[in-house]
């Protein structure tokens, strides 16, 4: 009965590789997000999709490409991985129509680029 | 743009001590305000929230009041436990925004 799930939980890979992280939510939400948490715990929005449409695209290298095949899934593909991509990536979801609508977060994917 | 400034840590306390984590914000309009908690090795969980001025959010003994006049949303708990050891994030969602803007996080360690 997991609400927001991410796979994999841990990802260790070499520089230059291409990798994908997957996110699924079973809460019936229509908006999903990717956040990046750096080594100092700072969290920053990367992307957001609403009903499969990209609505937030922050200043992120174009090596990062999100894909939302349907409202319940949001994947993140990263090309040509760099050392600086090492971080924890969190997926979140909500239906933001009401004020203060809570975003629900997944457990995170810990990416280490060697 | 919107931003959140949060008290820097780390904070180390003894059990049953009083905890305050300061949070101030900059935003246009009337944002919604949140406190999230991240336990070691886990994702973020909503701790409490407030959507308008003078609202008080509360949960698990934690409280925070939305103060528009001081643009603040300070988190307090009267008597902390070892299990409260975590990283606490203050966040806001602008009135016309989808995304959350987070503070830098405050690491709290409670010792027995």
């Amino acid at each position: 009965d997991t609400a927001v799930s991410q796979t994999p939980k841990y990802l260790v890979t070499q520089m230059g590789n291409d990798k994908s992280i997957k996110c699924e939510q079973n809460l019936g939400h229509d908006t999903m997000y990717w956040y990046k948490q750096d080594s100092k715990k700072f969290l920053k929005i990367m992307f957001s999709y609403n009903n499969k449409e990209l609505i937030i695209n922050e200043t992120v290298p174009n090596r990062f490409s999100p894909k939302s095949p349907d409202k319940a899934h949001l994947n993140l593909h990263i090309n040509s991985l760099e050392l600086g991509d090492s971080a924890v990536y969190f997926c979140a979801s909500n239906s933001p129509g009401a004020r203060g609508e809570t975003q629900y977060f997944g457990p995170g994917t810990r990416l280490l680029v060697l | 743009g919107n931003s959140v400034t949060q008290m820097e840590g780390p904070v180390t306390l003894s059990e049953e001590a009083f905890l305050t984590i300061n949070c101030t914000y900059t935003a246009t309009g009337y944002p919604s305000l949140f406190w999230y908690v991240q336990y070691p090795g886990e994702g973020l969980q909503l701790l409490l929230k407030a959507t308008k001025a003078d609202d008080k959010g509360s949960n698990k003994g934690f409280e925070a009041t939305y103060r528009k006049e001081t643009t603040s949303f300070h988190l307090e708990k009267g008597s902390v436990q070892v299990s409260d050891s975590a990283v606490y994030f203050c966040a806001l969602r602008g009135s016309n925004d989808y995304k959350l803007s987070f503070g830098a996080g405050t690491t709290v360690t409670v010792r027995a």
Side-chain angles (χ1 to χ4, degrees), chain B residues 49-64:
Chain B
K49 68 182 181 184
T51 60
K52 61 183 190 296
D54 301 324
D55 265 2
K56 179 188 280 188
S58 60
N59 186 24
K60 299 183 182 180
F62 290 89
E63 291 183 342

Side-chain angles (χ1 to χ4, degrees), chain B residues 25-45:
Chain B
Y25 67 89
T26 302
T28 53
Y30 300 92
S32 297
L33 301 173
F34 305 82
W35 277 99
Y36 278 83
V37 59
Q38 184 178 24
Y39 298 105
E42 298 185 11
L44 279 78
Q45 303 174 24

Side-chain angles (χ1 to χ4, degrees), chain B residues 3-85:
Chain B
S3 67
V4 177
T5 302
Q6 190 176 338
M7 184 175 108
E8 293 212 12
V11 174
T12 302
L13 303 162
S14 299
E15 246 185 339
E16 299 183 5
F18 184 83
L19 171 67
T20 299
I21 304 175
N22 289 341
C23 172
T24 57
Y25 67 89
T26 302
T28 53
Y30 300 92
S32 297
L33 301 173
F34 305 82
W35 277 99
Y36 278 83
V37 59
Q38 184 178 24
Y39 298 105
E42 298 185 11
L44 279 78
Q45 303 174 24
L46 178 70
L47 183 59
L48 52 84
K49 68 182 181 184
T51 60
K52 61 183 190 296
D54 301 324
D55 265 2
K56 179 188 280 188
S58 60
N59 186 24
K60 299 183 182 180
F62 290 89
E63 291 183 342
T65 300
Y66 187 142
R67 300 279 186 209
K68 189 157 178 64
E69 65 275 14
T70 54
T71 61
S72 65
F73 193 52
H74 305 321
L75 182 69
E76 296 182 339
K77 184 171 184 180
S79 177
V80 292
Q81 306 299 314
V82 172
S83 57
D84 293 324
S85 298

